[in-house]
Amino acid sequence: MLLGKNKLMPTVSPNKTVEGFLGGIIFAIITAYLCFQFLWIEWNTYDIKDAISIALIVSIVGTIGDLIESKIKRLAEVKDSGSIFPGHGGV
């Protein structure tokens, strides 16, 4: 929250920022790289490009899904969509 200054979609999810979105993508790519290097080394089916591509796609689609859920919650005028974590937006 210290770095996020530019809102991603303030009318849908006011706390999401462009910096957080980009940071999430970068973290996902770094994590995919590390997992590939240390966990998937024996798998000859995939290469590093596959791991990074999957991380990129999942991080972007995950954010889009989260924004869609936030929009649905706003339209339904509810705060939380789940009760597993009280005060959390939903799981």
Side-chain angles (χ1 to χ4, degrees):
M1 295 200 61
L2 295 173
L3 300 176
K5 304 294 182 213
N6 302 305
K7 302 293 183 185
L8 187 61
M9 291 186 75
T11 58
V12 175
S13 187
N15 292 328
K16 293 211 182 321
T17 63
V18 174
E19 294 84 358
F21 173 63
L22 296 175
I25 290 173
I26 291 168
F27 183 75
I29 290 172
I30 291 169
T31 302
Y33 175 79
L34 293 173
C35 287
F36 183 83
Q37 291 299 318
F38 297 109
L39 300 177
W40 297 331
I41 200 155
E42 295 177 11
W43 296 3
N44 294 327
T45 310
Y46 302 106
D47 64 0
I48 191 67
K49 290 183 285 186
D50 295 329
I52 290 174
S53 297
I54 291 169
L56 182 64
I57 291 167
V58 168
S59 61
I60 291 171
V61 171
T63 301
I64 291 170
D66 190 45
L67 289 169
I68 290 171
E69 181 184 10
S70 293
K71 181 66 174 179
I72 291 169
K73 289 187 332 187
R74 288 207 179 273
L75 292 173
E77 297 180 356
V78 295
K79 172 88 173 114
D80 298 330
S81 61
S83 60
I84 294 174
F85 298 117
H88 189 269
V91 177

